[in-house]
């Protein structure tokens, strides 16, 4: 089975659009997401465009603030401060990566935790690990939704997550733990990675290396979630961290790249913006 994030994302966005339509009457306005884009990195421009497009589909008001790569850290922090204090803004997102002279940790921490729709603020990270109400990071949240929609049982399963970044590997491990899986986190220093990944009933791969996971690393019947977004060095087309053609025949379910985890990330960003908006209405 191929788990289509594209299809699930579409249906979730349609449901959200119906909900958002009721907001002007209930609350007097729709949610507002402000995205800050520093510089003109083509990858970042494309992500920001995708976020604006998804916002339009859902009916969320989206503002993109574009600043040159030469902007000072102080000026950027000043913009964030203004947005934090603007009651009409529900979600703030600074597109990463930032130019080298700007400290991303400082920038993320400057965004009010209640408006941190990416779920990267230290307070949201802490609340996630403490199992408290928080803004969940989008990609890990999307992965759990994909597994649930595909009726994959998580509780009691042996899960291996390859990658331990703050954005994907660690938070998805914690969410899977919360779903009562037994979770192993592998990384670049893991010895004999294949023997670890072969134990997995559910294998989540977030490394950033094209087609790194080969068929001999996967247990037949495993569910494989491929988070990676890479360029295939041979074809220059988008591909995941997993050799899809080789693994699809032996996996019980697998996410494709593109069209798997990626569309769910943006969809969860929309959901987080709505959640931040609704928390303010209470
Ligand atoms: P990072 O570079 O921050 O982390 C990569 C992780 O992979 C590290 O923990 C690293 O281990 C581990 N790793 C690297 N090489 C190996 C190896 N040979 N064997 C085992 N582990 C290894 O990446 P991200 O987590 O930010 O992203 C991972 C991928 O997911 C990228 O392709 C990125 O583009 C994609 N991505 C996709 C998203 C989506 O929406 N679909 C969203 C976010 C990311 P160590 O810690 O030891 O260095």
């Amino acid at each position: 089975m191929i788990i289509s994030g594209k299809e699930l994302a579409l249906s979730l966005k349609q449901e959200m659009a119906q909900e958002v339509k009721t907001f002007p009457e209930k609350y007097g306005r729709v949610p507002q997401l402000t995205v800050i884009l520093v510089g003109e990195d083509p990858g970042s421009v494309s992500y920001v465009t995708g976020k604006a497009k998804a916002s339009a589909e859902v009916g969320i008001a989206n503002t993109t603030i574009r600043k040159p790569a030469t902007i000072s850290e102080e000026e950027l922090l000043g913009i964030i401060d203004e947005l934090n204090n603007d009651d009409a803004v529900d979600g703030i997102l600074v597109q990463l990566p930032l130019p080298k002279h700007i400290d991303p940790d400082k920038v993320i921490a400057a965004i009010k935790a209640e408006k941190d729709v990416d779920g990267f603020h230290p307070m949201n990270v802490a609340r996630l690990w403490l199992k408290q109400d928080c803004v969940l990071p989008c990609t890990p949240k999307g992965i759990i939704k994909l597994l649930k929609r595909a009726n994959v049982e998580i509780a009691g399963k042996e899960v291996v997550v390859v990658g331990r970044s703050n954005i994907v590997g660690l938070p998805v491990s914690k969410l899977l733990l919360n779903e009562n899986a037994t979770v192993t986190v592998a990384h670049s220093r893991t010895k004999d990675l294949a023997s670890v990944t072969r134990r997995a009933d559910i294998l989540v791969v977030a490394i950033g290396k094209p087609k790194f996971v080969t068929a001999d690393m996967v247990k037949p019947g495993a569910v494989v979630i491929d988070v990676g977004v890479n360029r295939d060095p041979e074809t220059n087309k988008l591909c995941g961290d997993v050799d899809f053609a080789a693994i699809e025949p032996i996996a019980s379910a697998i996410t494709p790249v593109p069209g798997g985890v990626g569309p769910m990330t943006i969809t969860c960003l929309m959901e987080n913006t709505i959640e931040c908006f609704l928390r303010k209405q209470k």
Side-chain angles (χ1 to χ4, degrees), residues 139 162-165 168 187-188 206-209 212 227-230 262 265:
T139 303
V162 191
R164 55 177 168 180
S165 72
V168 188
H187 44 79
S188 68
I207 312 178
K209 293 203 159 98
F212 180 84
V227 187
V229 180
N230 314 292
T265 298

Side-chain angles (χ1 to χ4, degrees), residues 172-235:
V172 80
S173 304
K174 173 60 175 154
L175 289 182
L176 288 160
L177 197 57
N178 289 355
E179 297 289 336
N180 299 311
T182 302
V183 184
T184 302
V185 184
H187 44 79
S188 68
R189 308 281 291 271
T190 298
K191 288 200 176 118
D192 194 2
L193 182 64
S195 75
V196 176
T197 55
R198 269 199 301 270
R199 293 206 306 259
D201 302 314
I202 302 172
L203 178 61
V204 180
V205 190
I207 312 178
K209 293 203 159 98
K211 297 183 178 175
F212 180 84
V213 174
T214 45
D216 59 307
M217 296 170 77
V218 177
K219 176 164 88 175
V223 173
V224 180
I225 304 292
D226 188 354
V227 187
V229 180
N230 314 292
R231 288 272 161 206
D232 185 329
E234 284 161 24
T235 62

Side-chain angles (χ1 to χ4, degrees), residues 33-39 44 48 51 62-67 71 75-81 83 91-98 107 111:
L33 169 66
T34 298
V35 178
I36 305 175
L37 172 63
V38 177
S44 296
V48 165
K51 286 163 189 174
N62 181 304
T63 307
T64 303
I65 300 177
R66 286 170 179 257
K67 290 288 167 188
I71 187 175
E75 196 187 334
L76 182 58
L77 293 174
I79 296 170
I80 292 169
D81 197 40
L83 295 170
I92 305 168
L93 183 156
V94 178
Q95 186 62 47
L96 301 176
L98 288 165
V107 168
I111 298 170

